[in-house]
Amino acid sequence: MKLAVIGCGYVGLVTGVCFAELGHTVIGVDNDPSKIRALREGKSPIYEPGLEPLLAAHLREGRIRFTESIQEAAKECEVLFICVGTPPLPDGRADLQAVEYVVSEIAEGMDSYRLIVEKSTVPVRTGRWLEDLVRSKVKNISFDIASNPEFLREGSAVGDFLHPDRVVIGCNSEKAASLLVNLYTPLNAPVLVTDLASAELIKHASNSFLAMKISYINAVAQVCEKTGADINKVAVGLGLDKRIGPDFLKAGIGYGGTCFPKDLRAFVSIAEECGLDFGLLKEVEKVNDAMWQGFVRKIDDMLGGVSGKTIALLGLAFKPNTDDMRFAPSIPIAQTLLQMGAKVKTYDPVAMENAKKVLPHLQYCSDAYETVDGADAVAILTEWNEFKTLDLNMVKERMKGNAFADGRNLFAPERIEQMGYAYVGIGRSWPGMALPLSV
Ligand code: UGA
């Protein structure tokens, strides 16, 4: 089948390249000429493991090509996926300007039946609004609007696309459903076909649920710290219950990225527009903020005040295997440490170029060992694999102090303390630790 993805960011590019991998012919559209130039040369403008080799292969085979013209794609392709950004407005609602523009351009370019698919995360009932928009612009041409939310995680997006837990398709016509089901047939994945509104809601409900799971485990971690329990063991015990499941129970400095913070706020706004107060989700956000704040407090306590001290931050991206700094907890952590008078050195394997734009006052280093040179404390903010295999004896030798703040619970506390460090993690307890017991 021939299809178009409009918007070649994380979602659109992965979707387009993976549809080409499934044997379809794809046109990728983006309004950024430099991005189109790079894509035509096989260069991915984003860091996503496994994406560039697939892009290069399908460019060579002619299965994917790129253009700046939405109308050209609308003329040639029966199915068009909208993959443009829906950033948050100041009040938390999603800004749908780019979606509106794309759909208007499709309406200008289409000359026979078209299926327009929402892939970008949009509030429930956007599909209805888009139907009215297209109807106001085209006469005597049939079309459908469908919702096909993406559940890709940055850093493993290609694998997530090719091996999904489920494909959700929401539409109000059999023709649209069968076109979309056919597109995904090569995946052999479970496909759920629903009405348009339900599919739209599934996306916000899923991301908000996952964020809630993370804040839940982080809230439990705080109780662990006061009671001598260990959150890693508690999470295993919880996760073994099939009704709960082991995923998304890693305690840490909180979730970041463009999806959870934005989608959670958007879902609260959607509920508000319906006259509902989704207080539960507001608490999720509060717990998330408390995690990075508590982590800064722990570093401050360990050092008896961070002013004038040197802190080495290892990892800046909001999670490993991505260069994405958006809403990363490292941002408020680094900013607060600087405000408190600390000197902050840092290293991240791929996110430093993006980090420099938002955190210009840090000292950027070329590796982890250079970062810890002369530091009073080392703090792990992202669980990159290369930090798991650090030579911690060498780290200790190069540091001035011995404070070890493990924001992702990467290490066994006892082992770290045996090496001569003072350790704090998130919700960790171990035999022999100095217990801050309140009960
Ligand atoms: C998330 C969802 O997982 C995807 O299904 C969805 O498609 C995507 O949002 C989206 O809406 O586009 P993503 O933001 O890429 O994907 O990253 P996740 O792997 O979900 O991690 C999000 C944040 O949660 C990260 O900061 C991570 O460190 C944190 N996290 C995750 C935890 O703190 N603990 C966990 O157990 C899991």
Side-chain angles (χ1 to χ4, degrees), residues 150-154 203 207 210 214 248-250 254-256 259-260 263 318-319 408:
E150 56 85 17
F151 302 104
L152 312 175
R153 287 163 301 173
E154 283 180 28
K203 171 68 188 198
N207 271 4
L210 291 169
I214 297 168
F248 277 70
L249 288 180
K250 268 195 250 129
Y255 60 77
C259 307
F260 289 171
D263 289 354
F318 81 97
K319 65 173 195 173
R408 297 292 180 177

PDB file of all heavy atoms in Angstrom, residues 150-154 203 207 210 214 248-250 254-256 259-260 263 318-319 408, ligand 1:
ATOM      1  N   GLU A 150      -0.039   6.018  18.845  1.00  0.00           N
ATOM      2  CA  GLU A 150       1.238   5.291  18.901  1.00  0.00           C
ATOM      3  C   GLU A 150       1.606   5.045  20.356  1.00  0.00           C
ATOM      4  O   GLU A 150       1.289   5.855  21.226  1.00  0.00           O
ATOM      5  CB  GLU A 150       2.323   6.069  18.142  1.00  0.00           C
ATOM      6  CG  GLU A 150       2.552   7.502  18.595  1.00  0.00           C
ATOM      7  CD  GLU A 150       3.502   7.627  19.752  1.00  0.00           C
ATOM      8  OE1 GLU A 150       4.228   6.660  20.001  1.00  0.00           O
ATOM      9  OE2 GLU A 150       3.496   8.680  20.421  1.00  0.00           O
ATOM     10  N   PHE A 151       2.257   3.910  20.584  1.00  0.00           N
ATOM     11  CA  PHE A 151       2.699   3.570  21.940  1.00  0.00           C
ATOM     12  C   PHE A 151       4.207   3.354  21.958  1.00  0.00           C
ATOM     13  O   PHE A 151       4.731   2.549  22.717  1.00  0.00           O
ATOM     14  CB  PHE A 151       1.954   2.321  22.432  1.00  0.00           C
ATOM     15  CG  PHE A 151       0.456   2.491  22.434  1.00  0.00           C
ATOM     16  CD1 PHE A 151      -0.331   1.904  21.460  1.00  0.00           C
ATOM     17  CD2 PHE A 151      -0.163   3.280  23.398  1.00  0.00           C
ATOM     18  CE1 PHE A 151      -1.716   2.086  21.439  1.00  0.00           C
ATOM     19  CE2 PHE A 151      -1.550   3.475  23.387  1.00  0.00           C
ATOM     20  CZ  PHE A 151      -2.325   2.868  22.409  1.00  0.00           C
ATOM     21  N   LEU A 152       4.916   4.064  21.057  1.00  0.00           N
ATOM     22  CA  LEU A 152       6.364   3.887  20.937  1.00  0.00           C
ATOM     23  C   LEU A 152       7.084   4.565  22.082  1.00  0.00           C
ATOM     24  O   LEU A 152       6.716   5.664  22.491  1.00  0.00           O
ATOM     25  CB  LEU A 152       6.861   4.515  19.625  1.00  0.00           C
ATOM     26  CG  LEU A 152       6.077   4.175  18.353  1.00  0.00           C
ATOM     27  CD1 LEU A 152       6.624   4.972  17.182  1.00  0.00           C
ATOM     28  CD2 LEU A 152       6.146   2.686  18.096  1.00  0.00           C
ATOM     29  N   ARG A 153       8.126   3.890  22.576  1.00  0.00           N
ATOM     30  CA  ARG A 153       8.978   4.525  23.580  1.00  0.00           C
ATOM     31  C   ARG A 153      10.244   5.006  22.895  1.00  0.00           C
ATOM     32  O   ARG A 153      10.824   4.271  22.090  1.00  0.00           O
ATOM     33  CB  ARG A 153       9.389   3.529  24.671  1.00  0.00           C
ATOM     34  CG  ARG A 153       8.281   3.165  25.619  1.00  0.00           C
ATOM     35  CD  ARG A 153       8.637   1.917  26.377  1.00  0.00           C
ATOM     36  NE  ARG A 153       8.881   0.815  25.437  1.00  0.00           N
ATOM     37  CZ  ARG A 153       9.347  -0.387  25.790  1.00  0.00           C
ATOM     38  NH1 ARG A 153       9.654  -0.628  27.041  1.00  0.00           N
ATOM     39  NH2 ARG A 153       9.525  -1.334  24.894  1.00  0.00           N
ATOM     40  N   GLU A 154      10.684   6.235  23.225  1.00  0.00           N
ATOM     41  CA  GLU A 154      11.941   6.712  22.673  1.00  0.00           C
ATOM     42  C   GLU A 154      13.038   5.763  23.129  1.00  0.00           C
ATOM     43  O   GLU A 154      13.033   5.300  24.260  1.00  0.00           O
ATOM     44  CB  GLU A 154      12.245   8.124  23.182  1.00  0.00           C
ATOM     45  CG  GLU A 154      11.428   9.155  22.458  1.00  0.00           C
ATOM     46  CD  GLU A 154      11.716  10.568  22.943  1.00  0.00           C
ATOM     47  OE1 GLU A 154      12.838  10.826  23.405  1.00  0.00           O
ATOM     48  OE2 GLU A 154      10.802  11.388  22.867  1.00  0.00           O
ATOM     49  N   LYS A 203      -5.170   6.464  24.328  1.00  0.00           N
ATOM     50  CA  LYS A 203      -3.804   7.000  24.393  1.00  0.00           C
ATOM     51  C   LYS A 203      -3.564   7.796  25.681  1.00  0.00           C
ATOM     52  O   LYS A 203      -2.606   7.550  26.421  1.00  0.00           O
ATOM     53  CB  LYS A 203      -3.560   7.883  23.163  1.00  0.00           C
ATOM     54  CG  LYS A 203      -2.281   8.662  23.189  1.00  0.00           C
ATOM     55  CD  LYS A 203      -1.078   7.757  23.093  1.00  0.00           C
ATOM     56  CE  LYS A 203       0.184   8.553  23.328  1.00  0.00           C
ATOM     57  NZ  LYS A 203       1.369   7.910  22.877  1.00  0.00           N
ATOM     58  N   ASN A 207      -1.015   6.529  28.859  1.00  0.00           N
ATOM     59  CA  ASN A 207       0.156   7.264  29.347  1.00  0.00           C
ATOM     60  C   ASN A 207      -0.051   7.749  30.774  1.00  0.00           C
ATOM     61  O   ASN A 207       0.864   7.716  31.597  1.00  0.00           O
ATOM     62  CB  ASN A 207       0.463   8.438  28.418  1.00  0.00           C
ATOM     63  CG  ASN A 207       1.400   8.024  27.293  1.00  0.00           C
ATOM     64  OD1 ASN A 207       1.757   6.856  27.182  1.00  0.00           O
ATOM     65  ND2 ASN A 207       1.787   8.970  26.456  1.00  0.00           N
ATOM     66  N   LEU A 210       0.475   4.848  33.158  1.00  0.00           N
ATOM     67  CA  LEU A 210       1.894   4.502  33.348  1.00  0.00           C
ATOM     68  C   LEU A 210       2.585   5.524  34.255  1.00  0.00           C
ATOM     69  O   LEU A 210       3.381   5.162  35.128  1.00  0.00           O
ATOM     70  CB  LEU A 210       2.605   4.411  31.990  1.00  0.00           C
ATOM     71  CG  LEU A 210       2.173   3.217  31.127  1.00  0.00           C
ATOM     72  CD1 LEU A 210       2.710   3.342  29.707  1.00  0.00           C
ATOM     73  CD2 LEU A 210       2.630   1.895  31.749  1.00  0.00           C
ATOM     74  N   ILE A 214       4.412   4.924  37.993  1.00  0.00           N
ATOM     75  CA  ILE A 214       5.740   5.395  38.414  1.00  0.00           C
ATOM     76  C   ILE A 214       5.622   6.234  39.689  1.00  0.00           C
ATOM     77  O   ILE A 214       6.396   6.060  40.640  1.00  0.00           O
ATOM     78  CB  ILE A 214       6.418   6.214  37.286  1.00  0.00           C
ATOM     79  CG1 ILE A 214       6.647   5.334  36.055  1.00  0.00           C
ATOM     80  CG2 ILE A 214       7.734   6.803  37.766  1.00  0.00           C
ATOM     81  CD1 ILE A 214       7.036   6.108  34.796  1.00  0.00           C
ATOM     82  N   PHE A 248       7.361  -0.766  34.774  1.00  0.00           N
ATOM     83  CA  PHE A 248       7.093   0.601  35.241  1.00  0.00           C
ATOM     84  C   PHE A 248       6.990   0.685  36.758  1.00  0.00           C
ATOM     85  O   PHE A 248       6.201   1.442  37.314  1.00  0.00           O
ATOM     86  CB  PHE A 248       5.863   1.194  34.534  1.00  0.00           C
ATOM     87  CG  PHE A 248       6.258   1.756  33.202  1.00  0.00           C
ATOM     88  CD1 PHE A 248       6.625   0.900  32.175  1.00  0.00           C
ATOM     89  CD2 PHE A 248       6.337   3.118  32.983  1.00  0.00           C
ATOM     90  CE1 PHE A 248       7.075   1.392  30.963  1.00  0.00           C
ATOM     91  CE2 PHE A 248       6.778   3.626  31.773  1.00  0.00           C
ATOM     92  CZ  PHE A 248       7.141   2.750  30.761  1.00  0.00           C
ATOM     93  N   LEU A 249       7.792  -0.133  37.423  1.00  0.00           N
ATOM     94  CA  LEU A 249       7.859  -0.073  38.892  1.00  0.00           C
ATOM     95  C   LEU A 249       9.284   0.262  39.330  1.00  0.00           C
ATOM     96  O   LEU A 249       9.708  -0.150  40.393  1.00  0.00           O
ATOM     97  CB  LEU A 249       7.412  -1.410  39.493  1.00  0.00           C
ATOM     98  CG  LEU A 249       5.911  -1.713  39.405  1.00  0.00           C
ATOM     99  CD1 LEU A 249       5.593  -3.060  40.043  1.00  0.00           C
ATOM    100  CD2 LEU A 249       5.077  -0.615  40.092  1.00  0.00           C
ATOM    101  N   LYS A 250      10.020   0.981  38.476  1.00  0.00           N
ATOM    102  CA  LYS A 250      11.381   1.368  38.882  1.00  0.00           C
ATOM    103  C   LYS A 250      11.313   2.740  39.535  1.00  0.00           C
ATOM    104  O   LYS A 250      10.962   3.729  38.891  1.00  0.00           O
ATOM    105  CB  LYS A 250      12.304   1.411  37.668  1.00  0.00           C
ATOM    106  CG  LYS A 250      13.021   0.088  37.443  1.00  0.00           C
ATOM    107  CD  LYS A 250      14.186   0.259  36.493  1.00  0.00           C
ATOM    108  CE  LYS A 250      13.885  -0.407  35.190  1.00  0.00           C
ATOM    109  NZ  LYS A 250      14.068   0.381  33.996  1.00  0.00           N
ATOM    110  N   GLY A 254      12.009  10.432  39.024  1.00  0.00           N
ATOM    111  CA  GLY A 254      10.760  10.871  38.381  1.00  0.00           C
ATOM    112  C   GLY A 254      10.791  10.706  36.877  1.00  0.00           C
ATOM    113  O   GLY A 254      11.847  10.577  36.273  1.00  0.00           O
ATOM    114  N   TYR A 255       9.590  10.704  36.295  1.00  0.00           N
ATOM    115  CA  TYR A 255       9.496  10.571  34.840  1.00  0.00           C
ATOM    116  C   TYR A 255       9.689  11.926  34.169  1.00  0.00           C
ATOM    117  O   TYR A 255       9.436  12.974  34.762  1.00  0.00           O
ATOM    118  CB  TYR A 255       8.147   9.959  34.445  1.00  0.00           C
ATOM    119  CG  TYR A 255       6.939  10.764  34.884  1.00  0.00           C
ATOM    120  CD1 TYR A 255       6.556  11.920  34.210  1.00  0.00           C
ATOM    121  CD2 TYR A 255       6.192  10.389  35.987  1.00  0.00           C
ATOM    122  CE1 TYR A 255       5.463  12.663  34.613  1.00  0.00           C
ATOM    123  CE2 TYR A 255       5.086  11.128  36.405  1.00  0.00           C
ATOM    124  CZ  TYR A 255       4.740  12.266  35.707  1.00  0.00           C
ATOM    125  OH  TYR A 255       3.669  13.010  36.117  1.00  0.00           O
ATOM    126  N   GLY A 256      10.161  11.878  32.921  1.00  0.00           N
ATOM    127  CA  GLY A 256      10.289  13.100  32.123  1.00  0.00           C
ATOM    128  C   GLY A 256       9.888  12.791  30.698  1.00  0.00           C
ATOM    129  O   GLY A 256       9.110  11.873  30.450  1.00  0.00           O
ATOM    130  N   CYS A 259       6.168  12.988  26.648  1.00  0.00           N
ATOM    131  CA  CYS A 259       4.863  12.321  26.623  1.00  0.00           C
ATOM    132  C   CYS A 259       4.140  12.361  27.964  1.00  0.00           C
ATOM    133  O   CYS A 259       3.040  12.906  28.063  1.00  0.00           O
ATOM    134  CB  CYS A 259       5.043  10.894  26.153  1.00  0.00           C
ATOM    135  SG  CYS A 259       5.923  10.834  24.596  1.00  0.00           S
ATOM    136  N   PHE A 260       4.732  11.774  28.998  1.00  0.00           N
ATOM    137  CA  PHE A 260       4.005  11.671  30.263  1.00  0.00           C
ATOM    138  C   PHE A 260       3.617  13.032  30.850  1.00  0.00           C
ATOM    139  O   PHE A 260       2.444  13.250  31.164  1.00  0.00           O
ATOM    140  CB  PHE A 260       4.806  10.854  31.294  1.00  0.00           C
ATOM    141  CG  PHE A 260       4.883   9.378  30.977  1.00  0.00           C
ATOM    142  CD1 PHE A 260       5.705   8.535  31.692  1.00  0.00           C
ATOM    143  CD2 PHE A 260       4.117   8.826  29.956  1.00  0.00           C
ATOM    144  CE1 PHE A 260       5.770   7.177  31.406  1.00  0.00           C
ATOM    145  CE2 PHE A 260       4.181   7.478  29.652  1.00  0.00           C
ATOM    146  CZ  PHE A 260       5.012   6.652  30.378  1.00  0.00           C
ATOM    147  N   ASP A 263       0.974  14.640  28.436  1.00  0.00           N
ATOM    148  CA  ASP A 263      -0.294  13.914  28.282  1.00  0.00           C
ATOM    149  C   ASP A 263      -1.098  13.900  29.575  1.00  0.00           C
ATOM    150  O   ASP A 263      -2.330  13.937  29.571  1.00  0.00           O
ATOM    151  CB  ASP A 263      -0.043  12.480  27.800  1.00  0.00           C
ATOM    152  CG  ASP A 263       0.431  12.463  26.353  1.00  0.00           C
ATOM    153  OD1 ASP A 263       0.451  13.542  25.736  1.00  0.00           O
ATOM    154  OD2 ASP A 263       0.791  11.382  25.850  1.00  0.00           O
ATOM    155  N   PHE A 318      16.339  12.245  29.588  1.00  0.00           N
ATOM    156  CA  PHE A 318      15.259  11.870  30.513  1.00  0.00           C
ATOM    157  C   PHE A 318      15.182  10.363  30.731  1.00  0.00           C
ATOM    158  O   PHE A 318      14.569   9.895  31.682  1.00  0.00           O
ATOM    159  CB  PHE A 318      13.907  12.434  30.050  1.00  0.00           C
ATOM    160  CG  PHE A 318      13.202  11.654  28.973  1.00  0.00           C
ATOM    161  CD1 PHE A 318      12.208  10.748  29.299  1.00  0.00           C
ATOM    162  CD2 PHE A 318      13.501  11.837  27.641  1.00  0.00           C
ATOM    163  CE1 PHE A 318      11.528  10.032  28.315  1.00  0.00           C
ATOM    164  CE2 PHE A 318      12.849  11.127  26.643  1.00  0.00           C
ATOM    165  CZ  PHE A 318      11.863  10.221  26.981  1.00  0.00           C
ATOM    166  N   LYS A 319      15.878   9.619  29.847  1.00  0.00           N
ATOM    167  CA  LYS A 319      16.034   8.173  30.032  1.00  0.00           C
ATOM    168  C   LYS A 319      17.151   7.722  29.096  1.00  0.00           C
ATOM    169  O   LYS A 319      17.575   8.489  28.228  1.00  0.00           O
ATOM    170  CB  LYS A 319      14.728   7.445  29.746  1.00  0.00           C
ATOM    171  CG  LYS A 319      14.264   7.536  28.304  1.00  0.00           C
ATOM    172  CD  LYS A 319      13.066   6.649  28.107  1.00  0.00           C
ATOM    173  CE  LYS A 319      12.810   6.424  26.643  1.00  0.00           C
ATOM    174  NZ  LYS A 319      11.772   5.456  26.402  1.00  0.00           N
ATOM    175  N   ARG A 408      18.882   6.440  40.168  1.00  0.00           N
ATOM    176  CA  ARG A 408      18.170   5.402  39.403  1.00  0.00           C
ATOM    177  C   ARG A 408      18.343   4.022  40.026  1.00  0.00           C
ATOM    178  O   ARG A 408      18.066   3.013  39.376  1.00  0.00           O
ATOM    179  CB  ARG A 408      18.673   5.387  37.955  1.00  0.00           C
ATOM    180  CG  ARG A 408      18.411   6.683  37.204  1.00  0.00           C
ATOM    181  CD  ARG A 408      16.935   6.895  36.953  1.00  0.00           C
ATOM    182  NE  ARG A 408      16.670   8.147  36.233  1.00  0.00           N
ATOM    183  CZ  ARG A 408      15.463   8.512  35.849  1.00  0.00           C
ATOM    184  NH1 ARG A 408      14.407   7.767  36.122  1.00  0.00           N
ATOM    185  NH2 ARG A 408      15.281   9.639  35.215  1.00  0.00           N
TER     186      ARG A 408
HETATM  187  C1  UGA B   1       5.995   6.842  26.735  1.00  0.00           C
HETATM  188  C2  UGA B   1       5.189   5.535  26.699  1.00  0.00           C
HETATM  189  O1  UGA B   1       5.900   4.512  27.400  1.00  0.00           O
HETATM  190  C3  UGA B   1       4.935   5.085  25.259  1.00  0.00           C
HETATM  191  O2  UGA B   1       4.089   3.937  25.255  1.00  0.00           O
HETATM  192  C4  UGA B   1       4.233   6.232  24.501  1.00  0.00           C
HETATM  193  O3  UGA B   1       4.034   5.907  23.143  1.00  0.00           O
HETATM  194  C5  UGA B   1       5.108   7.466  24.561  1.00  0.00           C
HETATM  195  O4  UGA B   1       5.303   7.832  25.947  1.00  0.00           O
HETATM  196  C6  UGA B   1       4.391   8.570  23.810  1.00  0.00           C
HETATM  197  O5  UGA B   1       3.309   8.960  24.220  1.00  0.00           O
HETATM  198  O6  UGA B   1       4.860   8.963  22.738  1.00  0.00           O
HETATM  199  P1  UGA B   1       8.601   7.492  26.500  1.00  0.00           P
HETATM  200  O7  UGA B   1       8.191   8.826  27.031  1.00  0.00           O
HETATM  201  O8  UGA B   1       9.447   7.417  25.291  1.00  0.00           O
HETATM  202  O9  UGA B   1       7.286   6.583  26.177  1.00  0.00           O
HETATM  203  O10 UGA B   1       9.434   6.766  27.626  1.00  0.00           O
HETATM  204  P2  UGA B   1       9.185   5.683  28.769  1.00  0.00           P
HETATM  205  O11 UGA B   1      10.107   4.563  28.539  1.00  0.00           O
HETATM  206  O12 UGA B   1       7.764   5.371  28.940  1.00  0.00           O
HETATM  207  O13 UGA B   1       9.731   6.475  30.043  1.00  0.00           O
HETATM  208  C7  UGA B   1       9.143   7.708  30.460  1.00  0.00           C
HETATM  209  C8  UGA B   1       9.776   8.210  31.730  1.00  0.00           C
HETATM  210  O14 UGA B   1       9.416   7.381  32.822  1.00  0.00           O
HETATM  211  C9  UGA B   1      11.305   8.228  31.718  1.00  0.00           C
HETATM  212  O15 UGA B   1      11.740   9.446  32.299  1.00  0.00           O
HETATM  213  C10 UGA B   1      11.711   7.060  32.584  1.00  0.00           C
HETATM  214  O16 UGA B   1      12.944   7.254  33.231  1.00  0.00           O
HETATM  215  C11 UGA B   1      10.548   7.023  33.583  1.00  0.00           C
HETATM  216  N1  UGA B   1      10.339   5.684  34.178  1.00  0.00           N
HETATM  217  C12 UGA B   1       9.903   4.664  33.402  1.00  0.00           C
HETATM  218  C13 UGA B   1      10.556   5.492  35.537  1.00  0.00           C
HETATM  219  O17 UGA B   1      10.958   6.429  36.274  1.00  0.00           O
HETATM  220  N2  UGA B   1      10.324   4.264  36.078  1.00  0.00           N
HETATM  221  C14 UGA B   1       9.885   3.217  35.337  1.00  0.00           C
HETATM  222  O18 UGA B   1       9.682   2.123  35.895  1.00  0.00           O
HETATM  223  C15 UGA B   1       9.662   3.419  33.965  1.00  0.00           C
END
